[in-house]
Amino acid sequence: MLWTKWTKGFYFIRSNERSKILFRSMMYSGDIIIACRSHQQVLIALLEEYNSLFGLTVKVLSREEDDFPGGYHYHMRKDIVKKMVNGEIKPYIFHMSWTLNKVNKLEYMKQMGMWFVKEQCIGKQVDEIFAGEVDTTDNTETCCSAEPIIQCFYRDKPSVVPCRDAPACTITRHICFITVCSIVIPTLLLSPPRFPISINRWTVSTRDLTGFITIMTRH
């Protein structure tokens, strides 16, 4: 259940003893993943720890490159997004991170002309789509469109077609939540915290991790 509920981003892993131990440790960190609602923050903390303790090699893709852009570029780098819209660059993979929820991700992808899944297949199991009659030879035509499925949602978000008549986007991301998890998780993984904890204007006195994160993000 953990592995299907939240996104994990995009990464490539070589199979060896160090990487196996890394992900075994990540599986044992399920309580922290649930509390922060993010695999990413836990994985980052573990990567730092294993790089230091065991010499695990970690290479991070630069934000300045345009082969593997993501939500950061979509929301913060208009120059790269403009080149994508104009067809000047063609990324290998685009990961819609830095986005509030699946609904917004779908809207942004459709508006950018990067969505190819037909409506009748979204969020459904195979038996629902084919009513129990599944032809395993080729099911792509039922769910996959040869051309991007483009739809306007927001006039002030990047788009491959004019969306002037669409409403403005009023969605704001909860940066506070991600920032808190980034600061706290490495400490929790490496050593038991001493309470109360004070970080900037937050003071936390509970020993329950879920309550700990909840209290901090309410401010």
Side-chain angles (χ1 to χ4, degrees):
M1 182 176 177
L2 273 177
W3 297 101
T4 60
K5 193 170 182 180
W6 296 294
T7 178
K8 296 166 286 297
F10 164 69
Y11 46 80
F12 173 81
I13 308 145
R14 295 187 184 279
S15 178
N16 54 49
E17 290 305 312
R18 284 175 293 184
S19 63
K20 290 176 182 178
I21 294 173
L22 167 70
F23 279 90
R24 187 179 299 119
S25 297
M26 188 169 176
M27 289 293 293
Y28 292 157
S29 302
D31 54 344
I32 305 179
I33 293 172
I34 291 173
C36 274
R37 305 178 188 177
S38 171
H39 288 80
Q40 181 178 345
Q41 303 304 321
V42 177
L43 180 58
I44 289 172
L46 288 172
L47 286 173
E48 293 176 349
E49 179 182 0
Y50 277 62
N51 173 258
S52 175
L53 295 179
F54 308 118
L56 180 73
T57 302
V58 180
K59 296 181 180 180
V60 181
L61 297 172
S62 173
R63 284 182 176 179
E64 304 307 316
E65 297 178 2
D66 50 30
D67 290 333
F68 303 96
Y72 163 78
H73 301 86
Y74 180 84
H75 296 287
M76 308 295 290
R77 292 292 303 274
K78 294 182 179 180
D79 55 328
I80 290 181
V81 175
K82 186 175 181 180
K83 290 180 180 179
M84 290 174 58
V85 171
N86 294 335
E88 298 176 32
I89 59 174
K90 295 182 178 180
Y92 291 105
I93 291 177
F94 185 92
H95 175 55
M96 187 59 79
S97 53
W98 283 52
T99 303
L100 187 60
N101 54 47
K102 290 181 180 179
V103 174
N104 303 138
K105 292 182 179 186
L106 178 57
E107 292 173 344
Y108 299 159
M109 295 286 279
K110 283 185 175 181
Q111 192 159 306
M112 281 287 289
M114 296 189 293
W115 189 259
F116 295 83
V117 182
K118 295 179 181 178
E119 192 69 30
Q120 66 264 25
C121 298
I122 298 176
K124 295 181 179 179
Q125 300 293 327
V126 174
D127 55 352
E128 294 180 79
I129 299 170
F130 298 99
E133 299 179 3
V134 182
D135 180 6
T136 56
T137 56
D138 187 7
N139 299 319
T140 55
E141 290 186 5
T142 304
C143 291
C144 302
S145 172
E147 299 296 327
I149 300 172
I150 303 172
Q151 185 178 350
C152 285
F153 292 93
Y154 307 106
R155 64 172 179 265
D156 52 351
K157 286 293 182 181
S159 177
V160 293
V161 296
C163 293
R164 300 184 184 90
D165 296 331
C169 181
T170 58
I171 301 167
T172 57
R173 293 185 68 256
H174 300 293
I175 303 293
C176 163
F177 185 84
I178 300 299
T179 303
V180 168
C181 290
S182 299
I183 295 172
V184 173
I185 284 180
T187 303
L188 294 177
L189 288 175
L190 294 174
S191 61
R194 295 183 179 180
F195 293 89
I197 297 176
S198 295
I199 300 178
N200 295 335
R201 58 193 177 89
W202 293 301
T203 301
V204 185
S205 58
T206 179
R207 290 181 179 274
D208 177 69
L209 181 59
T210 304
F212 171 42
I213 298 299
T214 302
I215 291 173
M216 293 193 73
T217 54
R218 282 178 180 171
H219 289 277

XYZ file of all heavy atoms in Angstrom, residues 140-187:
365
model
N -3.623 -1.361 -26.330
C -3.206 0.036 -26.354
C -4.237 0.953 -27.001
O -4.416 2.094 -26.564
C -1.863 0.182 -27.093
O -1.976 -0.406 -28.408
C -0.756 -0.514 -26.336
N -4.922 0.484 -28.031
C -5.870 1.355 -28.736
C -7.026 1.760 -27.834
O -7.594 2.840 -27.994
C -6.395 0.660 -29.991
C -5.350 0.505 -31.089
C -5.948 -0.051 -32.365
O -7.194 -0.223 -32.402
O -5.185 -0.310 -33.309
N -7.394 0.907 -26.904
C -8.513 1.218 -26.013
C -8.193 2.369 -25.077
O -9.044 3.228 -24.819
C -8.890 -0.022 -25.176
O -9.184 -1.103 -26.048
C -10.096 0.270 -24.295
N -6.968 2.409 -24.563
C -6.609 3.394 -23.544
C -5.641 4.470 -24.018
O -5.577 5.541 -23.410
C -5.991 2.685 -22.342
S -7.171 1.668 -21.410
N -4.881 4.204 -25.054
C -3.823 5.141 -25.463
C -4.197 5.901 -26.725
O -4.631 5.309 -27.716
C -2.513 4.392 -25.685
S -1.940 3.482 -24.238
N -3.994 7.192 -26.683
C -4.247 8.049 -27.837
C -2.948 8.289 -28.605
O -1.895 8.494 -28.003
C -4.836 9.388 -27.375
O -4.913 10.302 -28.452
N -3.027 8.250 -29.927
C -1.838 8.493 -30.746
C -1.426 9.960 -30.688
O -0.245 10.290 -30.810
C -2.102 8.077 -32.191
N -2.388 10.829 -30.458
C -2.132 12.266 -30.351
C -2.390 12.724 -28.920
O -3.206 12.136 -28.206
C -3.039 13.053 -31.311
C -2.842 12.713 -32.778
C -1.454 13.082 -33.264
O -0.895 14.091 -32.759
O -0.928 12.377 -34.140
N -1.693 13.760 -28.467
C -1.928 14.253 -27.097
C -3.352 14.739 -26.887
O -3.945 15.335 -27.781
C -0.915 15.400 -26.957
C -0.586 15.810 -28.357
C -0.678 14.567 -29.176
N -3.897 14.457 -25.708
C -5.237 14.914 -25.352
C -5.083 16.267 -24.672
O -4.668 16.365 -23.518
C -5.921 13.905 -24.422
C -6.032 12.547 -25.125
C -7.291 14.408 -23.983
C -6.514 11.419 -24.246
N -5.415 17.333 -25.377
C -5.169 18.703 -24.907
C -6.471 19.334 -24.423
O -7.501 19.252 -25.089
C -4.555 19.564 -26.029
C -3.260 18.918 -26.534
C -4.295 20.982 -25.537
C -2.686 19.588 -27.760
N -6.397 19.961 -23.260
C -7.561 20.634 -22.686
C -7.105 21.820 -21.851
O -6.105 21.736 -21.140
C -8.361 19.657 -21.822
C -9.656 20.220 -21.265
C -10.429 19.185 -20.468
O -10.101 17.992 -20.480
N -11.461 19.624 -19.775
N -7.814 22.925 -21.945
C -7.467 24.123 -21.181
C -8.113 24.089 -19.795
O -9.287 23.719 -19.650
C -7.940 25.383 -21.917
S -6.919 25.819 -23.355
N -7.347 24.516 -18.797
C -7.854 24.617 -17.434
C -7.571 25.994 -16.824
O -8.403 26.539 -16.115
C -7.234 23.528 -16.555
C -7.673 22.146 -16.909
C -6.931 21.372 -17.785
C -8.847 21.619 -16.380
C -7.341 20.083 -18.117
C -9.261 20.330 -16.710
C -8.509 19.570 -17.584
N -6.376 26.543 -17.085
C -5.966 27.802 -16.465
C -5.283 28.694 -17.504
O -4.396 28.243 -18.222
C -5.011 27.552 -15.298
C -5.549 26.577 -14.281
C -5.043 25.278 -14.199
C -6.565 26.950 -13.396
C -5.540 24.378 -13.272
C -7.061 26.049 -12.475
C -6.549 24.762 -12.413
O -7.038 23.868 -11.493
N -5.681 29.951 -17.522
C -5.089 30.872 -18.493
C -3.678 31.309 -18.122
O -2.920 31.777 -18.983
C -5.981 32.106 -18.654
C -6.138 32.977 -17.406
C -6.870 34.275 -17.724
N -7.051 35.112 -16.552
C -8.145 35.116 -15.803
N -9.159 34.314 -16.120
N -8.241 35.898 -14.745
N -3.306 31.176 -16.838
C -2.001 31.645 -16.394
C -1.014 30.500 -16.141
O -0.019 30.676 -15.440
C -2.140 32.499 -15.135
C -2.948 31.821 -14.031
O -3.540 30.758 -14.301
O -2.980 32.360 -12.912
N -1.301 29.307 -16.714
C -0.374 28.189 -16.643
C 0.126 27.863 -18.051
O -0.572 28.114 -19.034
C -1.052 26.961 -16.024
C -1.269 27.060 -14.520
C 0.054 27.054 -13.779
C -0.131 27.105 -12.274
N 1.158 27.120 -11.561
N 1.341 27.306 -18.159
C 1.882 26.984 -19.488
C 0.937 26.104 -20.289
O 0.285 25.208 -19.750
C 3.183 26.235 -19.161
C 3.578 26.735 -17.808
C 2.298 26.985 -17.079
N 0.856 26.377 -21.594
C -0.067 25.641 -22.449
C 0.438 25.604 -23.883
O 1.076 26.554 -24.345
C -1.456 26.292 -22.405
O -2.352 25.643 -23.282
N 0.140 24.521 -24.585
C 0.533 24.404 -25.988
C -0.501 25.034 -26.913
O -0.268 25.171 -28.107
C 0.748 22.927 -26.384
C 1.944 22.356 -25.651
C -0.503 22.093 -26.113
N -1.661 25.401 -26.362
C -2.704 26.103 -27.118
C -3.137 27.323 -26.309
O -2.984 27.344 -25.079
C -3.924 25.187 -27.389
C -3.518 24.013 -28.272
C -4.546 24.692 -26.098
N -3.680 28.353 -26.947
C -4.163 29.525 -26.192
C -5.299 29.141 -25.243
O -6.236 28.458 -25.637
C -4.663 30.468 -27.294
C -3.945 30.035 -28.533
C -3.789 28.551 -28.413
N -5.202 29.584 -23.980
C -6.238 29.294 -22.982
C -6.727 30.592 -22.344
O -6.929 30.657 -21.120
C -5.683 28.345 -21.915
S -5.317 26.684 -22.516
N -6.909 31.605 -23.139
C -7.272 32.932 -22.615
C -8.633 32.961 -21.931
O -8.867 33.776 -21.046
C -7.252 33.948 -23.760
C -5.894 34.093 -24.441
C -5.904 35.178 -25.505
N -4.640 35.246 -26.222
C -4.381 34.543 -27.327
N -5.315 33.755 -27.840
N -3.207 34.640 -27.920
N -9.542 32.082 -22.331
C -10.892 32.086 -21.756
C -11.008 31.224 -20.491
O -12.058 31.205 -19.849
C -11.906 31.578 -22.795
C -12.002 32.508 -23.999
O -11.765 33.720 -23.822
O -12.296 32.014 -25.101
N -9.942 30.542 -20.136
C -9.957 29.692 -18.938
C -9.769 30.558 -17.689
O -9.228 31.660 -17.757
C -8.855 28.645 -19.032
N -10.201 30.088 -16.525
C -10.026 30.863 -15.286
C -8.564 30.889 -14.855
O -7.740 30.087 -15.322
C -10.879 30.099 -14.267
C -10.915 28.701 -14.793
C -10.922 28.816 -16.284
N -8.238 31.802 -13.957
C -6.887 31.870 -13.396
C -6.712 30.779 -12.354
O -7.667 30.358 -11.704
C -6.639 33.244 -12.779
N -5.498 30.323 -12.199
C -5.207 29.289 -11.224
C -5.071 29.920 -9.832
O -4.339 30.892 -9.646
C -3.913 28.558 -11.600
S -3.473 27.235 -10.453
N -5.773 29.360 -8.865
C -5.723 29.885 -7.494
C -5.037 28.910 -6.543
O -5.098 29.076 -5.323
C -7.148 30.161 -6.975
O -7.907 28.945 -7.028
C -7.836 31.218 -7.835
N -4.374 27.906 -7.080
C -3.752 26.865 -6.253
C -2.398 27.343 -5.757
O -1.596 27.882 -6.507
C -3.575 25.567 -7.053
C -4.936 25.065 -7.544
C -2.873 24.502 -6.223
C -4.842 23.996 -8.588
N -2.136 27.140 -4.477
C -0.825 27.425 -3.903
C -0.291 26.155 -3.271
O -1.023 25.392 -2.654
C -0.905 28.526 -2.829
O -1.828 28.125 -1.814
C -1.360 29.840 -3.442
N 0.999 25.895 -3.421
C 1.618 24.708 -2.856
C 1.950 24.917 -1.379
O 2.260 26.025 -0.967
C 2.910 24.353 -3.595
C 2.698 23.910 -5.012
C 4.014 23.462 -5.606
N 4.482 22.233 -4.974
C 5.455 22.186 -4.089
N 6.085 23.286 -3.731
N 5.844 21.049 -3.559
N 1.929 23.818 -0.609
C 2.258 23.876 0.807
C 3.752 23.629 0.988
O 4.184 22.575 1.431
C 1.425 22.857 1.586
C -0.049 23.099 1.469
N -0.659 24.207 2.016
C -1.024 22.411 0.846
C -1.954 24.162 1.753
N -2.194 23.088 1.037
N 4.550 24.637 0.637
C 6.003 24.517 0.733
C 6.426 24.255 2.172
O 7.359 23.522 2.438
C 6.693 25.798 0.230
C 6.253 26.104 -1.211
C 8.195 25.658 0.307
C 6.716 25.101 -2.216
N 5.694 24.818 3.121
C 6.013 24.671 4.534
C 6.144 23.209 4.928
O 7.082 22.823 5.608
C 4.939 25.340 5.379
S 4.899 24.873 7.111
N 5.223 22.382 4.462
C 5.207 20.976 4.835
C 6.471 20.264 4.362
O 7.120 19.564 5.122
C 3.976 20.306 4.221
C 3.804 18.881 4.634
C 3.179 18.572 5.823
C 4.280 17.853 3.842
C 3.023 17.259 6.217
C 4.125 16.544 4.227
C 3.491 16.248 5.415
N 6.836 20.476 3.099
C 8.018 19.830 2.538
C 9.275 20.311 3.249
O 10.166 19.540 3.554
C 8.118 20.124 1.031
C 6.876 19.606 0.297
C 9.361 19.489 0.444
C 6.672 18.117 0.417
N 9.338 21.604 3.534
C 10.511 22.157 4.200
C 10.694 21.550 5.585
O 11.801 21.181 5.973
C 10.377 23.689 4.334
O 10.193 24.241 3.032
C 11.611 24.284 4.959
N 9.616 21.435 6.323
C 9.689 20.855 7.663
C 10.223 19.436 7.607
O 11.109 19.050 8.357
C 8.296 20.870 8.330
C 8.305 20.022 9.588
C 7.901 22.297 8.671
N 9.698 18.624 6.698
C 10.148 17.235 6.583
C 11.615 17.167 6.207
O 12.344 16.314 6.686
C 9.311 16.502 5.535
S 7.613 16.208 6.062
N 12.068 18.065 5.336
C 13.463 18.060 4.910
C 14.395 18.353 6.075
O 15.486 17.799 6.171
C 13.676 19.120 3.820
O 12.878 18.845 2.701
N 13.976 19.225 6.967
C 14.820 19.602 8.105
C 14.825 18.523 9.173
O 15.854 18.167 9.727
C 14.317 20.928 8.730
C 14.477 22.070 7.729
C 15.075 21.237 10.023
C 13.823 23.350 8.192
N 13.665 17.948 9.432
C 13.510 17.072 10.586
C 13.952 15.648 10.322
O 14.581 15.027 11.168
C 12.040 17.087 11.056
C 11.820 16.054 12.147
C 11.683 18.480 11.555
N 13.648 15.092 9.164
C 13.870 13.669 8.920
C 15.309 13.220 9.127
O 15.538 12.206 9.771
C 13.370 13.277 7.518
C 11.847 13.184 7.542
C 13.953 11.946 7.082
C 11.235 12.801 6.243
N 16.332 13.924 8.597
C 17.695 13.444 8.839
C 18.014 13.273 10.326
O 18.681 12.323 10.724
C 18.556 14.542 8.202
C 17.681 15.128 7.147
C 16.296 15.097 7.734
N 17.515 14.190 11.147
C 17.745 14.099 12.593
C 17.056 12.880 13.181
O 17.611 12.153 13.994
C 17.223 15.374 13.289
O 17.864 16.504 12.714
C 17.502 15.321 14.777
